[in-house]
Amino acid sequence: MAAAPMLDSTFGVDKLTYEIFSILENKFLFGYEDQKLFVSGKQEIPVETLKSGENVSGKVRILSIDGGGATDGILAGKSLVHLEAYLRKKSGNTDARISDYFDVVAGTGTGGILAALLFTRGKDGRSMFTADEALRFLIDNRRKISHSSPAGAFRRIFRSSNKVEKLFRRTFGDSTLKDTVKPALIPCYDLSTRAPFLFSRADALETDGYDFKMREICAATSADPTVMSAVEMRSVDQKTSILAVDGGVAMNNPTAAAITHVLNNKHEFPFCDGVEDLLVVSLGNGESDSGSRKPKLSAAEFVTVAGEGASDMVDQSVSMAFNHAGTSNYVRIQTTGFDVGKFLKNSKSAEEKGEVLLGIAEEMLKHKNVESILFRGKKIIQNTNSEKLDWFAGELIKEHERRKTSILPTVIFKQAVSPRTSSATVSTESSY
């Protein structure tokens, strides 16, 4: 085969050249076909586009959701409801869902449960839950899921093998990691290997040894690490075993893991070379009241504080990476200073506590956002959390519309040939 001709670097198309040949490679290795790119085997990218050197491949959209935090996941849930409502209003699609506007989701603890609810495929082929339905799920089942439930230690141990198991079984049935509509990443901590374990849809599509049932994944990522409530689980083919506790032990804020996954997964995200090719929103769940000082911390309180500190470090590092790249495509939603315990003290029932937390989350969205600076803490910025979400929703819609007329696909999702086989094909959808 003759060597491909070199293109003049003054056209600014070095990256585009690489992208074209990557597409050609996918065509022959994976059976890729796209009439926008190929007609009778010839690529038809306009000369104007080549000369402009513009990034025609678009941006990969990442949703990251922290572990429970002070609001047991309800701040993140409320943020998603706000985001989905804005997307519906501005797009004109009253049935738009969070999963329609993101390419990757990562979630820890209750954030992992939210990710599973919003991205697991339902009977109609779309995601099982809307954002509003997912938030209601957290509120209605908070006592079964939350580590901060007033139940004693024995009841908290028992809940892992009883009530929560039944809840997740009823919700997800036999759905596995392969059955998510988009790539999903949900961490846990494996006590048997003393190391973090990341449940990944991409890995599950490669082999059943990394495919697990969604009901067990949700139980694993939210298993209370302060009591003996580890979840024993096996992969679909029974070859991989895990003794799992809460993913927040090692990865309370999974944003960095999601970014790393995208940048290194060239099969599904072939044109994503750096943070400038990303749109990322990271949802926190409120931090403990910084004004509360105790000489001694319980095991549960220590885990909470450690998780919050780890989340802040990830946020600061990611913020620094985006700032150095000269892009503002990263948004973090988080608040501090709310004494949640004070608000919950007078609430008697679990239902009342859930509604109080929902009210707190609504107030948190009205507060001005904080911006992290690596090794220099945080500073208050002028925009509120809700305003930041509105801006980000606008960017998601722009990317959504851009893909309808794009020349190159931003993502090339792998899809399972059948729900229970390990073989996979490449989906050529442009994901809009």
Side-chain angles (χ1 to χ4, degrees):
M1 180 181 293
M6 296 297 292
L7 294 177
D8 189 343
S9 61
T10 59
F11 284 168
V13 296
D14 288 347
K15 181 178 178 182
L16 188 57
T17 305
Y18 166 77
E19 293 170 352
I20 293 170
F21 284 109
S22 295
I23 285 292
L24 287 170
E25 182 182 54
N26 276 309
K27 176 180 174 66
F28 291 107
L29 292 182
F30 302 113
Y32 182 86
E33 293 287 350
D34 189 332
Q35 295 305 313
K36 291 180 182 178
L37 288 174
F38 300 99
V39 178
S40 301
K42 298 179 180 179
Q43 62 92 356
E44 298 205 351
I45 298 177
V47 175
E48 292 76 12
T49 301
L50 292 174
K51 290 183 177 180
S52 70
E54 66 176 290
N55 182 1
V56 295
S57 61
K59 292 180 171 62
V60 176
R61 307 160 300 182
I62 297 175
L63 169 62
S64 177
I65 314 173
D66 280 16
T71 63
D72 293 334
I74 292 177
L75 173 57
K78 185 62 181 176
S79 298
L80 289 164
V81 169
H82 182 96
L83 185 61
E84 190 173 83
Y86 193 91
L87 289 169
R88 289 179 173 183
K89 178 181 177 182
K90 293 300 180 180
S91 69
N93 180 4
T94 58
D95 194 34
R97 300 191 182 183
I98 289 294
S99 60
D100 297 334
Y101 285 86
F102 286 94
D103 303 309
V104 180
V105 64
T108 298
T110 50
I113 295 171
L114 277 170
L117 294 172
L118 294 169
F119 283 79
T120 301
R121 183 179 287 105
K123 293 180 180 179
D124 61 356
R126 303 193 68 198
S127 55
M128 294 175 59
F129 282 62
T130 65
D132 191 62
E133 291 167 343
L135 175 58
R136 181 49 55 183
F137 179 94
L138 286 189
I139 293 174
D140 291 345
N141 298 288
R142 175 178 169 271
R143 190 168 183 176
K144 297 176 185 176
I145 297 171
S146 172
H147 298 168
S148 60
S149 168
F154 176 78
R155 288 179 61 188
R156 287 159 65 193
I157 295 171
F158 185 65
R159 71 105 203 177
S160 181
S161 60
N162 190 355
K163 291 184 179 180
V164 166
E165 180 183 347
K166 290 181 179 178
L167 172 65
F168 291 145
R169 182 183 294 273
R170 185 169 62 249
T171 304
F172 296 103
D174 289 326
S175 296
T176 74
L177 196 52
K178 289 181 183 179
D179 297 318
T180 52
V181 295
K182 302 282 182 66
L185 301 164
I186 301 176
C188 71
Y189 188 84
D190 183 12
L191 293 176
S192 61
T193 60
R194 291 290 193 263
F197 187 93
L198 192 62
F199 298 104
S200 167
R201 175 182 180 270
D203 292 338
L205 289 172
E206 291 297 324
T207 173
D208 283 342
Y210 290 106
D211 191 23
F212 294 82
K213 291 183 177 179
M214 292 304 298
R215 63 176 186 254
E216 294 179 344
I217 291 174
C218 288
T221 194
S222 61
D224 192 342
T226 63
V227 296
M228 294 180 293
S229 63
V231 175
E232 294 185 55
M233 56 193 298
R234 287 186 176 274
S235 58
V236 170
D237 64 1
Q238 302 295 304
K239 292 182 179 179
T240 306
S241 61
I242 297 174
L243 185 61
V245 293
D246 191 342
V249 171
M251 206 179 297
N252 197 56
N253 180 345
T255 306
I259 291 174
T260 301
H261 173 80
V262 170
L263 294 179
N264 287 281
N265 183 355
K266 290 301 182 183
H267 287 298
E268 294 186 297
F269 312 103
F271 312 137
C272 189
D273 296 327
V275 295
E276 67 275 6
D277 298 323
L278 302 174
L279 276 174
V280 182
V281 62
S282 174
L283 304 180
N285 275 301
E287 294 186 348
S288 305
D289 180 15
S290 58
S292 298
R293 299 288 193 274
K294 292 183 179 180
K296 291 183 179 181
L297 296 176
S298 67
E301 289 170 331
F302 179 79
V303 169
T304 298
V305 171
E308 290 174 356
S311 292
D312 287 343
M313 283 300 296
V314 170
D315 175 37
Q316 291 175 15
S317 299
V318 172
S319 295
M320 184 176 177
F322 275 82
N323 288 335
H324 279 186
T327 178
S328 59
N329 296 334
Y330 170 69
V331 169
R332 172 72 170 167
I333 303 300
Q334 182 64 297
T335 58
T336 59
F338 275 85
D339 187 352
V340 176
K342 178 181 178 181
F343 287 97
L344 294 177
K345 186 177 296 184
N346 297 324
S347 303
K348 297 180 180 180
S349 67
E351 291 75 15
E352 287 181 357
K353 291 180 185 294
E355 294 302 324
V356 169
L357 283 174
L358 181 58
I360 292 173
E362 290 175 347
E363 286 300 313
M364 287 178 168
L365 288 181
K366 298 175 184 178
H367 275 223
K368 290 185 177 180
N369 207 333
V370 294
E371 185 176 83
S372 295
I373 304 174
L374 193 61
F375 306 128
R376 291 172 59 188
K378 302 175 181 178
K379 68 176 183 179
I380 302 295
I381 60 177
Q382 293 303 310
N383 302 103
T384 64
N385 279 315
S386 60
E387 288 171 342
K388 295 290 283 184
L389 284 171
D390 291 347
W391 174 85
F392 191 82
E395 295 302 301
L396 290 176
I397 291 173
K398 288 178 185 177
E399 174 62 18
H400 183 84
E401 293 301 314
R402 189 205 61 77
R403 294 188 186 187
K404 293 180 180 179
T405 57
S406 64
I407 295 173
L408 296 177
T410 304
V411 295
I412 307 174
F413 289 142
K414 294 180 181 178
Q415 299 289 351
V417 173
S418 65
R420 298 295 174 261
T421 62
S422 60
S423 57
T425 60
V426 174
S427 169
T428 61
E429 63 181 350
S430 295
S431 181
Y432 47 67

